[in-house]
Amino acid sequence: MAAAGAIAGYDRMKEVKEFDESKMGVKAIGQIVEQIREAAKTWGFFQVINHGVPVSVLDETIAAIKAFHEQPTEEKSKYYVREEGRGVMYTSNNDLYRAKAACWHDSLQVWMSPEPAPADDIPAVCRREVVEWDQQATKVADCVMRLLSEGLGLEAGKFKELTFSDFRVLVGHCYPYCPQPDLTVGITSHTDPGIVTVLLQNQVQGLQVKHGEEWVDVKPLHGGLIINVGDFLQIVSNGEYKSVQHRVLANSNREPRISIVIFFNLCKWKGSGYYGPLPELLTPEKPAIYRDFTTQEFCENFYGKGLDSKSLIDKIKL
């Protein structure tokens, strides 16, 4: 454990209190670190339970996003814009003009940081729940990132120091009933571009993760949260953690599939404004496998095309 003050924002007494109240002991924590490290290396996805967020909060968040999408069109259309990267945006297929084909979903997007959307701009039907869920999901992500950091042999607070949660956006997807699910998909196969994603979903199945050459169904677990590695974390970890393809099938159920994702990304990095593998992970035996890149490269790659898989990683691979 680092000495107090060695890591920006490190609160030793808070860490000690949380450890003591968990009643887990160091052996159990070591097992959890190993489990998460292995899942991030081999699957890129894992589900967490006993995360400290009441199930009632999860259910209320899902219900609120569903309520937004079930509003009359004239009410939702007040928020229908295509100005990505800020504020509040309701749209169908945010990459509609960049992708080769449309998918069967609608989305409410709310920027939470570094320039949070004004609270009054968030639809009233889900305003309280969106703000609350952002806070709760960030706590979960912070805990997961501490464990992922330890899994790399780094200080637990390393990603906190790099402000991994200071750049985040919440997206509430609705996958309504599709009368011809064999002719389209809910969301096309892709990898997430950021550091890590926290996903909350209802009990309507549809998410699939690619493991090797197989597509694996992810069964919803009431009260569970799904965490997945993004392209950025694969780069930062120098390939130790894997960002993997995933997709959502078109919904053949009468009940809409609701999923709420918060994407986390780094705000701070090297003083030169470049991003790349963490220097602490590089050795003569394990040199960098990715070159450094800029924020501009990252944004141009994401906003210059439809959803895809690891295109930035492919561009910067050495």
Side-chain angles (χ1 to χ4, degrees), residues 113 137-149 156-169 194-198 227 232-233 236 262-269 275:
S113 183
T138 300
K139 290 178 183 177
V140 173
D142 183 46
C143 179
V144 168
M145 290 306 295
R146 291 202 305 267
L147 297 170
L148 286 170
S149 184
K158 183 61 180 180
F159 285 103
K160 187 79 169 178
E161 177 189 1
L162 295 173
T163 60
F164 88 95
S165 64
D166 285 7
F167 191 99
R168 63 189 189 275
V169 59
I195 282 285
V196 73
T197 302
V198 175
I227 312 292
F232 220 129
L233 183 53
V236 166
I262 297 188
F263 300 99
F264 294 86
N265 215 337
L266 295 174
C267 264
K268 178 181 134 184
W269 193 240
Y275 299 83

Side-chain angles (χ1 to χ4, degrees), residues 179-194:
Q180 295 180 297
D182 56 322
L183 299 182
T184 186
V185 292
I187 283 187
T188 189
S189 173
H190 66 284
T191 55
D192 291 347

Side-chain angles (χ1 to χ4, degrees), residues 243-264:
S243 172
V244 302
Q245 292 181 60
H246 52 286
R247 67 186 182 186
V248 176
L249 302 179
N251 183 16
S252 60
N253 297 281
R254 291 293 176 178
E255 175 73 10
R257 181 177 189 273
I258 302 296
S259 69
I260 302 102
V261 292
I262 297 188
F263 300 99
F264 294 86

Side-chain angles (χ1 to χ4, degrees), residues 99-144:
K100 294 180 180 179
C103 298
W104 202 266
H105 72 273
D106 298 325
S107 307
L108 174 67
Q109 184 179 109
V110 183
W111 278 89
M112 310 308 298
S113 183
E115 296 182 19
D120 289 345
D121 289 355
I122 303 172
V125 70
C126 60
R127 182 179 301 149
R128 177 183 64 83
E129 291 84 359
V130 162
V131 173
E132 170 69 11
W133 179 239
D134 172 58
Q135 296 171 353
Q136 296 286 358
T138 300
K139 290 178 183 177
V140 173
D142 183 46
C143 179
V144 168

Side-chain angles (χ1 to χ4, degrees), residues 299-316:
C299 291
E300 288 177 352
N301 183 75
F302 180 73
Y303 291 112
K305 54 178 177 43
L307 289 176
D308 66 1
S309 300
K310 297 189 176 183
S311 57
L312 178 65
I313 287 177
D314 291 341
K315 287 179 182 177
I316 68 172

